[in-house]
Amino acid sequence: MSFRERLLQNKIVVAPGIYDPLTASIATEAGFEALYLSGAAIAYTRLGRPDIGLVSLSEVAETIALVRDRVSTPLVVDADNGYGNALNVQRTVRIFERAGASAIQLEDQSFPKRCGHLQDKSIIPADEMAGKIKAAVDARASEKTIIVARTDAVAVEGFEPAIERARLYAEAGADVLFVEAPRSREQLAAVTSALGSLRPLLANMVEGGETPLSSAHDLGTLGFRLVIFPGGIVRALARTAQDYYRSLQTHGTNEPFRDRMFDFTALNRLIGTPEMLALGERYGSFDRENGQ
């Protein structure tokens, strides 16, 4: 079953945020059906900076390729605002698709963009964004590649204009619609009521963000088909890293923290070191007689 077909089923897909091959492999092993490569998470971890448009196309493309080399799980990629106009969007789609993106998310923010749950965002005209969506659809090499259209208009123009923008983006060819940062459960329900018959809908859960946290089950009941938790892994790891470094600074040893860590053997087991070494041995010499 393709990822596109899976999104048409009644059961919601949960896509946790990842930012590198390690988090992608751990999430895949946990049993998730899809992953979300978060631009914010890349900014947080690769740059140590906020999600304010600092991450480049090439940095995201490199990350896609590295993740795809490690896992085959469907990958939804945050492409921000496409890094420019409609022609830039087409280049972005071609590069990300070749690198291994299963779905490419584009938003209607101007440049520089900022995290969807930060204040003082600005957006481009709706018809310009519709043109960028059409450009993205035309640029993809395979119809299996999903184009996700996100609007940030709730915070800028209001809820109803955001709904109208989403309708327009569907007309332009978007496969999945994403109304960013509804401010209540009532608004979440209104999104599915207005748009659920048009396209599969995506919901974004951000701890401390504008949208009230809901479970995947509740969101699926409302009518959403995909829910992302984009930056959760970074917030969890940053908290753990802070505790770890403070402990090491205080005690001069990792002993007090050992029950919160993998040891050397366990980490190597997690990342597949025994299997990789065995594979290396297999290819270390060629048996001409047996052809292997």
Side-chain angles (χ1 to χ4, degrees):
M1 180 189 304
S2 70
F3 187 45
R4 179 186 293 275
E5 292 169 336
R6 175 62 184 86
L7 289 177
L8 295 176
Q9 295 186 327
N10 287 331
K11 184 181 178 182
I12 193 169
V13 176
V14 180
I18 58 101
Y19 60 86
D20 68 357
L22 178 62
T23 50
S25 63
I26 293 172
T28 295
E29 186 176 346
F32 289 101
E33 297 179 78
L35 308 173
Y36 183 80
L37 181 57
S38 163
I42 293 174
Y44 300 156
T45 58
R46 188 161 182 162
L47 307 181
R49 295 295 186 185
D51 180 21
I52 53 174
L54 300 175
V55 176
S56 69
L57 180 154
S58 60
E59 288 168 326
V60 179
E62 180 184 22
T63 305
I64 297 169
L66 289 170
V67 168
R68 185 52 77 221
D69 187 56
R70 185 67 176 85
V71 302
S72 59
T73 314
L75 187 63
V76 183
V77 178
D78 178 4
D80 288 343
N81 52 17
Y83 311 101
N85 64 17
L87 297 181
N88 296 109
V89 164
Q90 291 201 311
R91 181 168 184 263
T92 297
V93 167
R94 288 192 295 265
I95 290 173
F96 284 11
E97 185 178 36
R98 285 197 299 268
S102 308
I104 299 169
Q105 174 194 302
L106 297 160
E107 66 195 42
D108 57 10
Q109 284 198 52
S110 59
F111 191 85
K113 59 90 62 182
R114 59 178 58 197
C115 173
H117 290 258
L118 290 176
Q119 301 302 312
D120 300 322
K121 297 182 291 184
S122 60
I123 55 179
I124 64 176
D127 59 349
E128 180 182 348
M129 180 61 181
K132 291 171 75 170
I133 295 297
K134 180 63 167 60
V137 170
D138 289 347
R140 64 186 175 189
S142 170
E143 290 189 357
K144 291 183 179 180
T145 302
I146 293 169
I147 302 300
V148 180
R150 164 178 147 179
T151 178
D152 286 70
V154 171
V156 182
E157 297 178 339
F159 184 77
E160 289 302 328
I163 296 297
E164 290 308 309
R165 278 177 173 258
R167 292 185 195 277
L168 179 62
Y169 303 163
E171 291 178 20
D175 303 297
V176 173
L177 302 177
F178 174 9
V179 177
E180 174 66 298
R183 293 174 174 172
S184 66
R185 182 177 175 81
E186 290 71 26
Q187 285 193 350
L188 285 168
V191 168
T192 59
S193 176
L195 303 172
S197 63
L198 296 179
R199 297 288 190 276
L201 302 178
L202 183 155
N204 181 19
M205 294 291 103
V206 177
E207 304 81 10
E210 294 291 328
T211 305
L213 288 180
S214 302
S215 70
H217 177 268
D218 287 345
L219 291 166
T221 299
L222 286 177
F224 289 94
R225 291 293 167 260
L226 176 62
V227 56
I228 60 173
F229 294 82
I233 183 61
V234 182
R235 285 184 282 277
L237 289 177
R239 175 66 182 272
T240 300
Q242 188 179 68
D243 290 346
Y244 165 75
Y245 288 123
R246 286 174 175 172
S247 174
L248 180 58
Q249 172 66 16
T250 299
H251 302 287
T253 174
N254 285 333
E255 192 61 39
F257 212 82
R258 283 188 65 179
D259 62 348
R260 298 179 60 186
M261 301 170 62
F262 286 119
D263 66 14
F264 181 76
T265 301
L267 181 60
N268 276 289
R269 188 182 305 119
L270 177 73
I271 62 177
T273 302
E275 293 82 1
M276 292 293 289
L277 292 176
L279 189 62
E281 288 290 328
R282 174 185 169 189
Y283 291 121
S285 62
F286 181 71
D287 185 339
R288 295 181 66 183
E289 183 175 339
N290 296 310
Q292 56 184 333

